[in-house]
Amino acid sequence: PFSVQKMSTALSSFCLILVFLELYNATFHHPVFSMMGFQPEHASQSNSAVFFEGEEDNPIKYCKEHWFEQTIDHFNPEVPPLGKTTFMQRYYVCDKHWKDTKSGNKGPVLFYVGNESEVELYIKNSGLMWEMAPKVGGLLLFAEHRFYGKSLPFGNTKLDKSHLPYLSSDQAMEDFAQLLTDFKIKMKIEKAPIIGFGGSYGGMLASWMRMKYPHILAGAVACSAPLAGLYGQNSNTNGYYEVVTRDATPYAGSAPRCRDNVQRAFNTIINMAVTSKGNALVRSTLKLCGESPVPSKLKRDMNAIRNWALVTTQWYSMGMYPFKSGYMFLGGKGELPAWPMRVACDFMAPEFKSEWDNLAAFANFQALYHNASGTVQCFNISYESPKAEEVLSLWGWQACTELFLPIGMNGKTDMFWSDPFEITGMEAYCNYAYDLTPERFRPSWGYTQFAGARLNYYSNIVFSNGELD
């Protein structure tokens, strides 16, 4: 039977949402919101260190890397750019706990439906799958999503706009369907059930694969999969930032003054960073790298500063686990403490005498993430990694063409500022960034294809989320 399970706050550690934002566009500064539910991103994040009981916390050593020759375009007969028709898709098999069942057949395949990052990230951070494998005698299979990690349809060539039409959830799901079908035949395990796992966008893919390929996936566990957030269903477009704000309140265990002091800091940035003198003071107080811009670029710089600070609050909210974790650094170096929003909010707990004292505390609030190493001298508000820029570009394409999740904020029910969602602004951004004309801008795709959150048509899908993620 169909099952919807709303987990308690403690189980938020098994889930997370991932939001990729493109922050610094001069004309359209409104973030390109990806998944409510970020790279984040998963299905079942838990403390792998507990599971491995003192062994080195790297479960990849129990897995073997494999490659599968995959079709670039499953649906059209035309030859893709560069004359290529196939690419090598990466996946990992972890069979330490794979056993025969009482009937003599092999145990189930627990399949991670890859999403918007390299596959190793999910192997290391999908604790529920590792915990379930020995209990059910299951094999773990982690597949990488096309265009991310090393599964590159056009190799290491520079990303070109002509490549982007081959990046879609339909193509990715068909990749997984082909991979799983081939795997079962080669391993001679036609009777072994496959259960899909995914979080955020991966959770959407897991649920959609169960809907579209029920003969391949016997069931799915979709964690923080924002099906109800797809365009055309939810009238409350401010809900995402209301949850981020809730994490900065006593309800989530944070200091009572944190929410108001954080909003006060944003107001200081907005009001002061638009003048040369104020901008210089904001930058020095927040310990930002670089000098103030010329007067004609002050407003743009103010937007960049506040959006940089905004994203940090999301990392804390998305990484609101009851144990320390490096997941929100997306494969980079760093680690957040348990309940990171609570810890960051301790800096914002006092009743500050001036807005500058408050902003100085906000710098420490930011440093919990941006100076996790303890070695950073100043904060760079621009993306430094070309790879990060490319991933943002990839995700922006998907958000514009099929995974459209409208998100805004009002500065009243959240701790930020008024920036309501407007579809015309997003349509303009998608045209600006990807040359998407109105007929190619598809905000209703997700709802039209899979009925959004109208799930009474489907079966054997478990949806889980925590109150704080």
Side-chain angles (χ1 to χ4, degrees), residues 236-246 248-249 259-260 262-264 266-267 310 407-420:
N236 180 20
T237 58
N238 300 320
Y240 176 83
Y241 282 110
E242 289 173 355
V243 176
V244 175
T245 299
R246 184 168 64 193
T249 68
R259 183 236 189 263
D260 291 342
V262 167
Q263 187 163 39
R264 185 184 182 188
F266 278 113
N267 287 337
L310 170 70
I407 303 176
M409 49 195 175
N410 58 24
K412 296 178 181 178
T413 58
D414 57 66
M415 60 185 180
F416 304 107
W417 59 91
S418 178
D419 195 356

Side-chain angles (χ1 to χ4, degrees), residues 180-427:
L180 291 172
T181 300
D182 182 81
F183 183 78
K184 291 188 76 171
I185 293 173
K186 286 184 176 178
M187 300 299 292
K188 299 179 180 180
I189 53 169
E190 287 83 354
K191 294 183 179 180
I194 301 176
I195 309 298
F197 291 78
S200 178
Y201 169 45
M204 299 173 93
L205 289 176
S207 64
W208 290 343
M209 282 203 69
R210 168 59 188 166
M211 298 172 191
K212 189 175 182 179
Y213 304 92
H215 59 294
I216 295 177
L217 284 195
V221 178
C223 179
S224 294
L227 299 186
L230 289 165
Y231 181 75
Q233 303 174 93
N234 190 350
S235 60
N236 180 20
T237 58
N238 300 320
Y240 176 83
Y241 282 110
E242 289 173 355
V243 176
V244 175
T245 299
R246 184 168 64 193
D247 286 350
T249 68
Y251 180 88
S254 295
R257 292 192 180 93
C258 182
R259 183 236 189 263
D260 291 342
N261 283 342
V262 167
Q263 187 163 39
R264 185 184 182 188
F266 278 113
N267 287 337
T268 300
I269 294 171
I270 292 167
N271 295 329
M272 301 302 296
V274 290
T275 68
S276 296
K277 182 178 179 180
N279 185 282
L281 194 51
V282 166
R283 280 181 156 273
S284 63
T285 303
L286 288 176
K287 302 177 182 178
L288 303 183
C289 302
E291 303 293 331
S292 293
V294 296
S296 63
K297 295 184 178 181
L298 285 170
K299 186 174 182 180
R300 178 182 179 181
D301 193 59
M302 180 276 289
N303 285 332
I305 295 171
R306 69 175 180 178
N307 286 332
W308 167 80
L310 170 70
V311 171
T312 311
T313 68
Q314 296 176 56
W315 294 144
Y316 296 155
S317 185
M318 292 186 288
M320 196 69 163
Y321 308 132
F323 48 80
K324 62 183 181 179
S325 170
Y327 185 73
M328 302 316 297
F329 292 87
L330 310 180
K333 295 181 179 180
E335 194 170 64
L336 287 176
W339 306 116
M341 185 69 88
R342 294 180 187 176
V343 177
C345 275
D346 287 343
F347 294 110
M348 308 303 293
E351 185 174 359
F352 297 104
K353 294 181 179 180
S354 75
E355 62 181 323
W356 297 108
D357 290 339
N358 185 73
L359 193 65
F362 195 52
N364 292 326
F365 177 98
Q366 296 289 325
L368 183 69
Y369 179 85
H370 294 286
N371 193 18
S373 66
T375 61
V376 176
Q377 299 300 313
C378 64
F379 304 136
N380 190 335
I381 64 174
S382 299
Y383 287 103
E384 299 178 35
S385 167
K387 187 64 177 177
E389 292 275 14
E390 183 172 299
V391 170
L392 285 171
S393 177
L394 293 170
W395 183 253
W397 167 264
Q398 290 194 263
C400 285
T401 56
E402 56 182 10
L403 302 171
F404 194 78
L405 294 143
I407 303 176
M409 49 195 175
N410 58 24
K412 296 178 181 178
T413 58
D414 57 66
M415 60 185 180
F416 304 107
W417 59 91
S418 178
D419 195 356
F421 167 75
E422 294 179 358
I423 192 168
T424 54
M426 289 303 297
E427 183 176 352

